[in-house]
Amino acid sequence: MVRLNTLYHHKSKGWQSKQIIYQIPPSIGETVKIDKVHYKVINIIHYAEDGTLEIVAQAE
């Protein structure tokens, strides 16, 4: 399990931020599900030593 600090772009709400727990760390180009919407990871900003990942995602 990994904690993702996610900055994502919702089509109608604009940029949003949310912390989610994910099974495995995603890679650039993979899809993550946030609040029943699928987002494509477009950038990984930071890998922390505690396993936290900061990512930027765009709605598909």
Side-chain angles (χ1 to χ4, degrees):
M1 300 293 259
V2 65
R3 184 177 57 197
L4 300 179
N5 293 323
T6 308
L7 177 64
Y8 61 98
H9 191 261
H10 189 276
K11 290 182 180 181
S12 62
K13 296 179 184 176
W15 287 100
Q16 304 286 311
S17 179
K18 186 166 188 165
Q19 188 175 87
I20 59 174
I21 303 297
Y22 214 68
Q23 295 264 334
I24 55 172
S27 300
I28 293 176
E30 286 189 47
T31 301
V32 294
K33 189 174 180 181
I34 305 170
D35 295 334
K36 301 179 184 177
V37 179
H38 293 277
Y39 295 89
K40 186 174 188 176
V41 177
I42 57 172
N43 197 1
I44 296 175
I45 299 170
H46 179 70
Y47 285 99
E49 289 182 22
D50 66 355
T52 303
L53 213 63
E54 294 179 10
I55 64 172
V56 178
Q58 183 79 31
E60 289 194 308

